[in-house]
Amino acid sequence: MEELIKILNINDYDIEQYVENRISVLNSLHNNVEEVSLTDGEIYQGWINTNVSYWPSGNRSKGFKLTKQFYIDFCKNIKQTFKNFDINVVKSKFNSDRLMQRINLYLSSYFGETCNDTLRKEIFGYGNLNSIGETLSVEILKGKNVARCIEKSGGLNGLSNFMGIDCSLILSEATFENTTAGHAYCLINENGKYKIYDPNFFSTNSTGKRVPFIFDFDINNVDKKITFNPSELGAIDSTDIEYNFPWSKLKIIEKSSSIKKITINSNDIAKADKEEALSTSDIERKKDFFNRLLDKFKGKGEK
């Protein structure tokens, strides 16, 4: 919630600088992932560096990257959404679960709710040799109705971690309407309680209200597949989705989440300073960068 309050408090003209600083800190702390492919069958815990390319398919196609502009657009949307709210009301009434639902809904609006396969193939250059190794800026897909699971779930993971929420990107197979295919979705961890967020599907209830595909996830109930039917949440036009969850990869998350305390020492600051290209005389900027490092860990939540 700290990042939300920061965004609401900053001037519109300072949004770009805020986003740039936030991304710089997160990138400096998470540099282990080289690329993300829908065929990986992996769990990517936490923030993924903005230099990383996402590859939608094993078929020849361009990839995409989550850019600074993607996060700027979200921050502007947040400020617009909450412009008439008293900041103290937001602090007292708004929690991380409601923020996650807001992000989930935002992505549906950002990308569009349907997928025009013909236009998608054209934009991503499916099957073209000159598409290999090429990447698009994700904002090219904005409002085009061409996004699928990898774009929406990659975006959900990016925005969640940007806002200080512990989120992981899950890549596995899923079965929907008797069709099994590679699928991307997200796993949220809030104080040891897990939820699956699948931003690719919505149903409706009897009053016409949208029902998102969000459900509790028991990490101790080890099973090969997880089944979710939104009718449990009141949906009337729902179909089961069966997730072939990569349980073997979950152990990595559990192990890394068991750390009791995170410490920032002088070596961490020196490394971050170097990546930020800070001069030794730039005292105020150093202080600001150190504070942002602390903010990052507070936002993630120490266990």
Side-chain angles (χ1 to χ4, degrees):
M1 291 299 297
E2 291 185 13
E3 296 305 323
L4 173 63
I5 302 305
K6 285 181 185 178
I7 293 169
L8 297 181
N9 279 327
I10 61 177
N11 188 292
D12 289 350
Y13 298 104
D14 295 328
I15 289 177
E16 182 174 352
Q17 186 61 54
Y18 162 77
V19 170
E20 186 174 306
N21 291 344
R22 178 73 174 152
I23 288 176
S24 182
V25 171
L26 292 171
N27 278 351
S28 71
L29 296 169
H30 295 268
N31 292 303
N32 297 325
V33 180
E34 296 182 357
E35 63 178 22
V36 174
S37 173
L38 187 57
T39 59
D40 281 352
E42 286 284 350
I43 296 180
Y44 293 95
Q45 182 184 11
W47 175 261
I48 296 175
N49 195 300
T50 50
N51 294 319
V52 169
S53 295
Y54 296 73
W55 303 104
S57 173
N59 189 15
R60 292 190 298 268
S61 72
K62 298 175 183 177
F64 70 92
K65 292 183 178 181
L66 297 177
T67 61
K68 181 177 73 173
Q69 188 60 48
F70 175 72
Y71 295 98
I72 289 174
D73 287 346
F74 175 71
C75 290
K76 289 181 176 179
N77 179 270
I78 284 291
K79 287 186 68 67
Q80 179 66 26
T81 299
F82 289 92
K83 67 178 182 179
N84 295 322
F85 285 72
D86 184 287
I87 192 70
N88 291 316
V89 173
V90 176
K91 289 179 180 179
S92 62
K93 301 293 186 181
F94 211 75
N95 55 33
S96 58
D97 188 53
R98 294 182 67 184
L99 176 57
M100 275 301 307
Q101 292 189 42
R102 176 65 202 171
I103 294 172
N104 192 46
L105 185 62
Y106 169 78
L107 288 169
S108 179
S109 173
Y110 182 90
F111 288 115
E113 297 186 19
T114 60
C115 183
N116 183 325
D117 284 336
T118 300
L119 182 57
R120 177 181 175 85
K121 289 177 181 178
E122 179 182 328
I123 292 175
F124 278 97
Y126 276 88
N128 296 330
L129 285 173
N130 58 4
S131 295
I132 299 175
E134 295 296 316
T135 56
L136 306 168
S137 298
V138 73
E139 63 265 21
I140 291 176
L141 310 179
K142 184 178 181 179
K144 294 289 200 312
N145 285 297
V146 296
R148 286 184 177 172
C149 62
I150 187 65
E151 293 85 37
K152 292 180 180 180
S153 296
L156 183 73
N157 183 67
L159 291 176
S160 300
N161 284 286
F162 182 87
M163 297 302 291
I165 296 171
D166 186 354
C167 181
S168 299
L169 177 64
I170 314 295
L171 303 178
S172 72
E173 288 188 336
T175 302
F176 177 71
E177 295 183 341
N178 298 318
T179 299
T180 300
H183 189 50
Y185 47 103
C186 290
L187 180 68
I188 302 297
N189 175 14
E190 185 175 9
N191 299 321
K193 295 182 179 179
Y194 291 82
K195 285 187 177 182
I196 293 289
Y197 272 71
D198 192 336
N200 309 283
F201 300 104
F202 287 90
S203 293
T204 55
N205 62 18
S206 58
T207 64
K209 185 177 180 181
R210 290 162 63 109
V211 178
F213 280 47
I214 301 171
F215 58 96
D216 293 333
F217 182 78
D218 184 359
I219 64 171
N220 298 311
N221 186 23
V222 179
D223 193 3
K224 185 177 181 182
K225 295 181 180 179
I226 303 298
T227 301
F228 173 65
N229 190 316
S231 62
E232 300 169 11
L233 303 178
I236 59 175
D237 58 346
S238 59
T239 302
D240 283 2
I241 293 188
E242 194 175 65
Y243 298 88
N244 192 0
F245 191 84
W247 286 102
S248 62
K249 306 294 183 179
L250 185 62
K251 295 179 181 179
I252 299 173
I253 287 185
E254 290 183 86
K255 182 178 180 180
S256 60
S257 297
S258 65
I259 300 173
K260 298 296 182 182
K261 186 176 180 180
I262 300 173
T263 303
I264 303 174
N265 58 38
S266 58
N267 290 331
D268 296 321
I269 299 171
K271 179 181 178 182
D273 280 351
K274 183 178 180 181
E275 299 213 12
E276 283 274 286
L278 299 177
S279 65
T280 55
S281 62
D282 199 353
I283 303 298
E284 292 304 316
R285 193 176 175 195
K286 277 178 173 287
K287 288 180 179 178
D288 176 66
F289 187 71
F290 177 71
N291 287 333
R292 287 187 280 109
L293 277 173
L294 290 176
D295 288 339
K296 184 268 173 187
F297 287 118
K298 289 177 182 177
K300 290 288 286 185
E302 293 184 358
K303 303 299 179 188

